[in-house]
Amino acid sequence: MEMILYIASGALLAAGSFLVLVGTIGMLRLPDFFTRLHAAGITDTLGAELLLIGMMLQAGFSLITVKLILISLFIFFTSPTATHAVANAARTMGLKPALVPDEDIETTSVRRGSAK
Amino acid sequence: MFIGATAALLVAMALTLIRAFAGPTLFDRVLAANSFGTKTVLLIGVLGFLTDRPEFLDIALLYALVNFIGTIAVLKFFRYRNLGLSNTEAADREEID
């Protein structure tokens, strides 16, 4: 049983490390800001959660696992929120996707205040 | 195997720093800083297990909280050039510019 847990947590840690690296390389290589958001998403969601679950299997039933669950829940909810906030700020300040032709971008203002 | 995860995280953090310094826009830098913070949380956790001191997870939990608030604060500051605006003041300022 211990052996199975050890192998499973090793596999999860390896997969998590791999996904973190893939997301980081994507963030370095992709052409513009809005595409880099996708790469950052890989790191923040699946990569982080797999690493934390791998650590949970090592820790067993203890206070450490409770802390790990708290961390993973927190990252699970705040990462998409932070990513959305960055994307929203970029869009509001007029940053345009580099790969989309100009005629395909909506020209209406996205500012909240201008609706009045 | 924790050594492998630590090495992968350190490499990933170095690459993230390159993106944070290279930019080119403010938002790339904020995104890289946020991603760097997430990786720091994971690194603290993995290092705690590597050195058999999982008490480090308290620090990781705190860092996760600070990282999120920091990202939102930086974005708010660059949008309004002020951190202490109320909702109505912020709406007024958006009308002006």
Side-chain angles (χ1 to χ4, degrees), chain B residues 9 13 33 35-45 60 63:
Chain B
L9 279 171
M13 286 168 85
S35 183
F36 190 80
T38 308
K39 279 162 201 152
T40 310
V41 172
L42 295 172
L43 180 72
I44 295 172
Y63 202 91

Side-chain angles (χ1 to χ4, degrees), chain B residues 57-68:
Chain B
L57 284 173
D58 292 331
I59 308 171
L61 190 53
L62 181 73
Y63 202 91
L65 293 161
V66 171
N67 184 35
F68 175 62

Side-chain angles (χ1 to χ4, degrees), chain A residues 53-72:
Chain A
I53 292 172
M55 283 187 255
M56 276 178 217
L57 291 184
Q58 288 275 323
F61 289 102
S62 61
L63 184 63
I64 297 164
T65 307
V66 177
K67 286 176 193 165
L68 283 169
I69 291 173
L70 280 177
I71 294 175
S72 66

Side-chain angles (χ1 to χ4, degrees), chain B residues 6-30:
Chain B
T6 310
L9 279 171
L10 283 174
V11 171
M13 286 168 85
L15 294 176
T16 313
L17 270 190
I18 294 176
R19 174 50 67 200
F21 280 113
T25 65
L26 164 76
F27 307 106
D28 287 300
R29 293 176 210 272
V30 174

Side-chain angles (χ1 to χ4, degrees), chain A residues 10-108:
Chain A
L12 285 173
L13 284 171
S17 308
F18 174 72
L19 284 171
V20 167
L21 273 178
V22 165
T24 310
I25 292 170
M27 207 158 69
L28 212 56
R29 294 274 302 151
L30 286 173
D32 81 328
F33 169 71
F34 291 100
T35 49
R36 280 174 205 141
L37 285 171
H38 297 291
I42 299 174
T43 307
D44 285 347
T45 52
L46 198 54
E49 300 297 330
L50 282 182
L51 277 174
L52 287 167
I53 292 172
M55 283 187 255
M56 276 178 217
L57 291 184
Q58 288 275 323
F61 289 102
S62 61
L63 184 63
I64 297 164
T65 307
V66 177
K67 286 176 193 165
L68 283 169
I69 291 173
L70 280 177
I71 294 175
S72 66
L73 267 184
F74 196 77
I75 288 183
F76 187 76
F77 283 115
T78 56
S79 290
T81 314
T83 307
H84 174 81
V86 182
N88 187 29
R91 191 78 179 86
T92 310
M93 288 193 189
L95 192 69
K96 290 200 169 63
L99 300 180
V100 180
D102 273 343
E103 64 265 24
D104 286 348
I105 297 176
E106 287 181 41
T107 49
T108 49

